Amino acid sequence: MPFTDVAVVGGGIIGTCIALALQQRGHAVTIVEPNELGAGTAGGSAGYLAWDDIFPIPSPSIVAGLPRMLLDRRGPLVIAPSHLLRMTGWGLRFLWAARPSAVRRAIAALAPLNRLAESALYDLARLAGAERYLVRETVLHVCRTAKTLAAAERLLPILAVEGFPAHVLDRAALRVQEPALCDDLAGAIAYPGSGRCTNPRAFGAALAQHFLSNGGGLLEARAIALERDADGWLVKIGGEALRAKKVVLAAGVWSGALMASLGYRLPLESARGYHLMLSNPGVMPARTLLFEEDHFCATPMEDGLRLAGTVEFASLETPMNPARADVLYDVAHRYLPALRRDSATRWMGSRPSLPDSLPIIAELRRHLGIVVAFGHERRGLTESGVTARCVADLVEGRPPPLDLRPFRVERF
Ligand SMILES: Cc1cc2nc3c(=O)[nH]c(=O)nc-3n(C[C@H](O)[C@H](O)[C@H](O)COP(=O)(O)OP(=O)(O)OC[C@H]3O[C@@H](n4cnc5c(N)ncnc54)[C@H](O)[C@@H]3O)c2cc1C
C-alpha cells in the first residue's frame, strides 16, 4: 500500500497551493486528483485577484434585491426548480448570515485573510516561476446607475479602515480610463491594490509542474472515503488506499461527500458560474472590469477577453446550460458596444459555496490529523496562497498567521 507524509485530496488551485507550501517546508506530499492537476474551477475563473473583496455575499441589500433577481431567468442568479427544495436549509442560513452583525463579523474575518493573500500567492508564484501570470492593476467596479455608485461608495470607509483604499471615478474620469465603455454609465469604484491572473489554467499548471518536478507525488484517482488507520489515515480509492500520516481535504465542492463519509453534514452547495472566452473580442479593456449591477467580470487574458460570472444553483450532475454563458455576451455588449463574439468558447464551473460566504480552513477536532480547506466560493484563486500558508501551519501544529476561528467547521 503506497504511503506518504501528507495526502492532499483535490488538486484544484487550493490543493495545489497547499501541496506546494507543504513541499517547500520539507514534507513528502502526494496529491490525489482524478483530473487535470492545478486546473479545477479556478482554471476557468475570471482571474480577478480580489484581495480587497472582503465583503460576504449575504447582506441586507442583497436580500432586498433577491426577489427581483430570482424572477429574472436571464439575470445574474438562478436556482434550478428541481434544486429549490434542497436549497431551503442553505437559503435560511444565508438569510441568517445577512444580519448586519453577522456581516460585520464576516468582514472582520475576511479582511485579515485577504491582507495576507497577495504576498502569500506571489511567494508561491515566485517559487514556481509562475509570477509572469500575475499582474498588479487598478480594477474598476463599473456602476450603471448613480444609486449603485452611491451604495458602493458607502463601503469605502470600511475598505480604508481594513487597509484596502479605493476611490470613486465619475462618469468623465471613467471614460478617460476606459474609452471603450458606453457613455451612459454613472461611474466606477477604482481598486488600486487589485490584480489579475492572465491565464489561470496555465498558472495552476505551472505550480503543479513545480510540485511534481521537485518530487511531489500524484495519484490520479478519485478518493471515495477517509478512514482511520493505526497511525494515520487511509484515503480510500476504489479497492485500494493511500496511507498517510496526515490528510488535507481540498476537493472544492466535492469535499461535501468526503466530509459526509466522516459524519459531517455541511451546507456546501455548488454555485455554478460560467465564462465566455472571446479570442477575438474587437475591443480590449486595459484592466479587469467588474460590472456591479450585473455581477460579472471582463478580464483581459493572454488568449482573449474573458467574460465570467453569474450564479446558478443546480445539482453537480446537471449539464451546463449554454444560454447562461451566452447571456454574458448580451449583457457585456451593452457596456462595451464594440464587443464581438466570433469564436467564443463556453465553460461552466462550480464555486464551492457555504451560506455565510466564509471558507472552512481547519483541523477537524473529532478527526485529528485531517485538515480541511474548501468553500472559497468566488475568491478561491485570490485566497489560495494564504489558505496554503494557514493549512501548512495547521498540519505542522504551528500557530497560523491569523485567527482561523471564524473558518471552523463547527459553525454549522
Ligand atoms: C465563473 C467563475 C468565476 C470565478 N472567478 C474568480 C475570480 O475571478 N477570482 C477568484 O479568486 N476566484 C474566482 N472563482 C472561484 C474559484 O474558481 C474557486 O473558489 C476555486 O477554484 C476553488 O478552488 P478549489 O481548489 O477549492 O476547488 P476546485 O477548483 O473545484 O478543485 C477541486 C478539485 O478536487 C478534485 N476532486 C473532486 N472530487 C475529488 C475526489 N473525490 N478525490 C480527489 N479529487 C477530487 C476536482 O477534480 C478538482 O480538481 C470563480 C469561479 C467561477 C465558477
Side-chain angles (χ1 to χ4, degrees):
M1 196 182 293
F3 175 79
T4 186
D5 277 356
V6 188
V8 176
V9 177
I13 195 65
I14 298 287
T16 301
C17 283
I18 290 169
L20 204 51
L22 284 165
Q23 182 184 61
Q24 192 189 13
R25 296 186 187 197
H27 299 276
V29 182
T30 299
I31 302 180
V32 182
E33 166 62 60
N35 299 312
E36 184 183 336
L37 188 59
T41 309
S45 74
Y48 178 11
L49 300 174
W51 327 116
D52 29 28
D53 180 3
I54 54 169
F55 300 103
I57 297 179
S59 70
S61 60
I62 286 284
V63 169
L66 271 180
R68 189 176 41 83
M69 258 197 250
L70 285 171
L71 287 173
D72 180 2
R73 298 305 293 169
R74 285 171 58 84
L77 169 67
V78 293
I79 303 179
S82 55
H83 209 59
L84 271 171
L85 201 58
R86 189 195 143 111
M87 287 291 296
T88 314
W90 192 98
L92 290 172
R93 287 177 188 273
F94 180 91
L95 294 176
W96 185 241
R99 287 152 24 251
S101 58
V103 173
R104 280 194 297 275
R105 274 201 300 279
I107 294 170
L110 287 169
L113 187 70
N114 282 19
R115 272 197 291 271
L116 292 178
E118 182 175 12
S119 61
L121 192 60
Y122 269 84
D123 284 351
L124 292 179
R126 264 191 295 274
L127 178 73
E131 213 183 340
R132 66 185 182 283
Y133 296 112
L134 306 182
V135 175
R136 293 191 167 94
E137 66 177 4
T138 300
V139 171
L140 301 182
H141 286 206
V142 175
C143 301
R144 193 171 270 290
T145 68
K147 189 176 165 205
T148 309
L149 186 61
E153 195 175 351
R154 282 197 286 279
L155 301 178
L156 296 188
I158 303 174
L159 282 162
V161 165
E162 296 295 353
F164 301 103
H167 58 272
V168 177
L169 292 184
D170 64 13
R171 178 193 302 246
L174 175 59
R175 287 282 291 166
V176 171
Q177 298 269 330
E178 287 296 343
L181 284 168
C182 64
D183 51 15
D184 61 346
L185 301 170
I189 304 290
Y191 289 85
S194 290
R196 155 176 47 124
C197 180
T198 56
N199 189 335
R201 188 172 170 194
F203 176 69
L207 300 183
Q209 191 48 52
H210 184 86
F211 169 76
L212 296 175
S213 318
N214 284 280
L218 172 63
L219 198 56
E220 292 184 88
R222 184 172 297 282
I224 51 169
L226 305 176
E227 285 176 12
R228 233 182 258 282
D229 189 28
D231 47 356
W233 288 94
L234 291 178
V235 180
K236 304 282 282 186
I237 32 176
E240 295 172 53
L242 171 67
R243 282 177 56 225
K245 279 192 223 149
K246 300 216 170 174
V247 173
V248 176
L249 174 56
V253 72
W254 297 274
S255 305
L258 290 162
M259 288 295 281
S261 80
L262 295 167
Y264 299 83
R265 297 266 176 270
L266 294 174
L268 182 64
E269 280 293 331
S270 162
R272 292 147 42 114
Y274 287 81
H275 89 212
L276 197 64
M277 192 72 213
L278 308 174
S279 56
N280 184 22
V283 56
M284 187 58 89
R287 75 209 71 234
T288 306
L289 302 175
L290 183 143
F291 300 96
E292 279 281 345
E293 281 96 345
D294 293 293
H295 305 276
F296 76 100
C297 285
T299 312
M301 293 208 174
E302 281 183 348
D303 43 357
L305 184 66
R306 182 171 291 179
L307 309 177
T310 85
V311 175
E312 175 189 57
F313 285 104
S315 76
L316 282 168
E317 298 73 34
T318 308
M320 100 181 230
N321 175 0
R324 294 293 296 163
D326 293 341
V327 88
L328 287 167
Y329 173 79
D330 300 339
V331 183
H333 186 255
R334 297 208 300 263
Y335 291 94
L336 296 161
L339 194 66
R340 295 185 359 206
R341 67 157 298 170
D342 343 340
S343 52
T345 52
R346 305 180 185 103
W347 171 91
M348 187 272 292
S350 289
R351 301 177 191 88
S353 186
L354 291 156
D356 60 3
S357 255
L358 303 181
I360 293 178
I361 307 171
E363 181 166 29
L364 298 181
R365 282 203 222 141
R366 288 192 278 129
H367 299 88
L368 293 178
I370 298 185
V371 176
V372 297
F374 54 82
H376 294 73
E377 51 156 66
R378 68 184 197 268
R379 281 180 289 254
L381 176 61
T382 305
E383 292 169 351
S384 52
V386 63
T387 299
R389 186 178 289 177
C390 294
V391 168
D393 284 334
L394 291 174
V395 166
E396 293 186 329
R398 291 175 198 268
L402 57 118
D403 181 5
L404 292 180
R405 281 174 299 182
F407 309 116
R408 67 199 183 283
V409 176
E410 291 75 17
R411 69 186 197 266
F412 295 112

